[in-house]
Amino acid sequence: MAAKLMVGNWKMNGSLAANASLLSEVLAVMGGLTCRAAVCVPAPYLAQAQALLAGSALALGAQDVSAHEAGAYTGEVSADMLRDFAVRYCIVGHSERRQYHGESDVTVASKAQRALAAGITPIVCVGESLAERDAGQTEAVVKRQLAAVIHTNGHCISEIVVAYEPVWAIGTGLTATPEQAQHVHAVLRAQLQAATAHADRVSILYGGSMNAANAADLLAQPDVDGGLIGGAALKASEFLTMLKAASR
Ligand code: PEP
């Protein structure tokens, strides 16, 4: 199994000064760690982060990509534009995009396709709302979301990363228990195994209020290959504690 993958999602946070200080603190310690790591920064900071991360073990990521290739799509950022900044990963289908921007499973699948075509690894987010969990629909929801991406990208599905992010755990301080996370990760792993002989290449990350206190227990689960981290990735010391937990 590949080294664990830890990805910070900065969301709409940061400034030139704050980014420089956060990245310099993280990079100062990154050298001794064995996990893979990345930060997904707001689009306006891609150039700054590209320069600061050059030659380091911390990879550059974006938080979204257009489902379109190019043209009259005001405000959108294409996969080729991300590639110009040496972007390695791109989150697609984050629940905040699905919820606030009406992104459908089909749109998310197209975004994953655009990223893959540009040589960027899409981090495909799936996850159920609290109402869906309470209604016993967790497995059906995450399988439906992943199935759309498999349907559109079947030939290169082993090139994606999946992030299981229960919507009720994102930014709420509520975390799935290690057992809850493992259960859903195993379901997703089985779905990938049915789609490709190379499912073992797909890292399945957990996301949802992962922090320095709970990361080790979540990462100890057999099908938890890393984390997608929001709030806790904005504090260098907390992010570094999690990277260390993932390097054991
Ligand atoms: C996220 O935004 O992907 C996320 C998991 O956020 P948080 O860690 O803050 O819950």
Side-chain angles (χ1 to χ4, degrees):
M1 178 41 84
K4 304 262 190 215
L5 173 61
M6 302 296 278
V7 181
N9 172 17
W10 288 2
K11 310 197 192 203
M12 199 172 72
N13 294 294
S15 66
L16 287 173
N19 304 343
S21 137
L22 175 57
L23 289 179
S24 78
E25 276 188 70
V26 173
L27 290 175
V29 182
M30 268 298 291
L33 300 174
T34 56
C35 70
R36 296 173 291 153
V39 283
C40 295
V41 308
Y45 297 129
L46 285 171
Q48 179 200 23
Q50 180 190 18
L52 292 172
L53 299 181
S56 81
L58 190 56
L60 181 59
Q63 299 175 11
D64 187 28
V65 64
S66 178
H68 306 284
E69 196 173 350
Y73 301 101
T74 302
E76 298 265 288
V77 176
S78 76
D80 283 351
M81 293 172 187
L82 297 181
R83 191 177 49 190
D84 274 347
F85 293 93
V87 163
R88 169 92 177 72
Y89 298 99
C90 181
I91 297 170
V92 298
H94 192 283
S95 63
E96 288 152 13
R97 301 289 319 169
R98 293 180 190 260
Q99 199 177 339
Y100 307 140
H101 301 272
E103 290 191 7
S104 67
D105 294 340
V106 170
T107 302
V108 174
S110 298
K111 290 184 171 203
Q113 188 176 34
R114 291 288 172 213
L116 286 164
I120 294 168
T121 301
I123 300 175
V124 177
C125 297
V126 300
E128 82 287 2
S129 66
L130 190 54
E132 288 163 339
R133 174 163 280 267
D134 288 346
Q137 294 169 350
T138 297
E139 287 186 29
V141 168
V142 299
K143 284 166 88 172
R144 188 203 74 224
Q145 292 171 331
L146 183 56
V149 178
I150 292 172
H151 177 75
T152 305
N153 300 280
H155 55 292
C156 48
I157 201 67
S158 63
E159 307 301 317
I160 72 168
V161 166
V162 176
Y164 169 53
E165 297 210 308
V167 179
W168 49 271
I170 296 179
T172 58
L174 298 173
T175 314
T177 63
E179 294 72 25
Q180 284 173 325
Q182 168 57 28
H183 176 78
V184 177
H185 282 228
V187 166
L188 296 169
R189 181 88 66 204
Q191 189 177 5
L192 289 162
Q193 276 161 347
T196 170
H198 305 295
D200 55 326
R201 288 190 201 154
V202 180
S203 293
I204 306 179
L205 316 183
Y206 170 78
S209 297
M210 195 187 237
N211 58 37
N214 61 29
D217 286 345
L218 287 159
L219 293 168
Q221 298 302 309
D223 288 300
V224 177
D225 303 321
L228 181 55
I229 304 135
L234 295 170
K235 297 169 210 134
S237 62
E238 183 147 16
F239 191 50
L240 282 165
T241 301
M242 299 166 82
L243 297 188
K244 283 178 195 154
S247 296
R248 282 190 201 117

